[in-house]
Amino acid sequence: MSQHSHNSPRAWREIARDLAREPDGLKRRALMEELNKSSDPTFATCAICNKLCELTSCKIDEQGRPVHENCYTLKLTSAPNHYS
């Protein structure tokens, strides 16, 4: 993980880069929280896969959470069909 000044918040790109390289689950969770609190409002965490999704191209699920279109499609197609 890169070092940064404690006086200024890290840019979301730096946090996302660290997140992509971090194998430790607990550290990844902390990085996700830091990323969600970052000042750049263009990305959010997909509610299905927990990876970053761009807000301008993501979809919103039935609970109002951001999701990747592919993640949502896979979730819908793999869900049991209660109507047949």
Side-chain angles (χ1 to χ4, degrees), residues 2 9 16 18 20 27 37 44-45 47 51 53 70 72 75:
S2 62
D18 288 347
K27 290 180 183 176
K37 294 176 186 175
T45 303
K51 294 182 181 177
C53 57
N70 289 343
Y72 192 64
K75 178 183 174 186

Side-chain angles (χ1 to χ4, degrees), residues 3-76:
Q3 299 297 318
H4 65 280
S5 167
H6 292 287
N7 296 334
S8 62
R10 296 196 301 156
W12 67 267
R13 287 182 196 269
E14 182 182 350
I15 301 167
R17 184 177 52 243
D18 288 347
L19 180 62
R21 296 176 180 162
E22 181 57 60
D24 183 279
L26 290 175
K27 290 180 183 176
R28 286 181 60 84
R29 184 174 297 147
L31 285 167
M32 287 300 290
E33 289 176 14
E34 183 180 357
L35 188 61
N36 286 335
K37 294 176 186 175
S38 71
S39 60
D40 190 328
T42 59
F43 286 90
T45 303
C46 174
I48 297 170
C49 72
N50 292 319
K51 294 182 181 177
L52 290 179
C53 57
E54 197 168 5
L55 291 177
T56 57
S57 63
C58 74
K59 303 300 178 193
I60 304 298
D61 71 3
E62 55 276 351
Q63 282 103 25
R65 302 174 302 178
V67 294
H68 294 109
E69 182 174 10
N70 289 343
C71 291
Y72 192 64
T73 301
L74 285 172
K75 178 183 174 186
L76 291 178

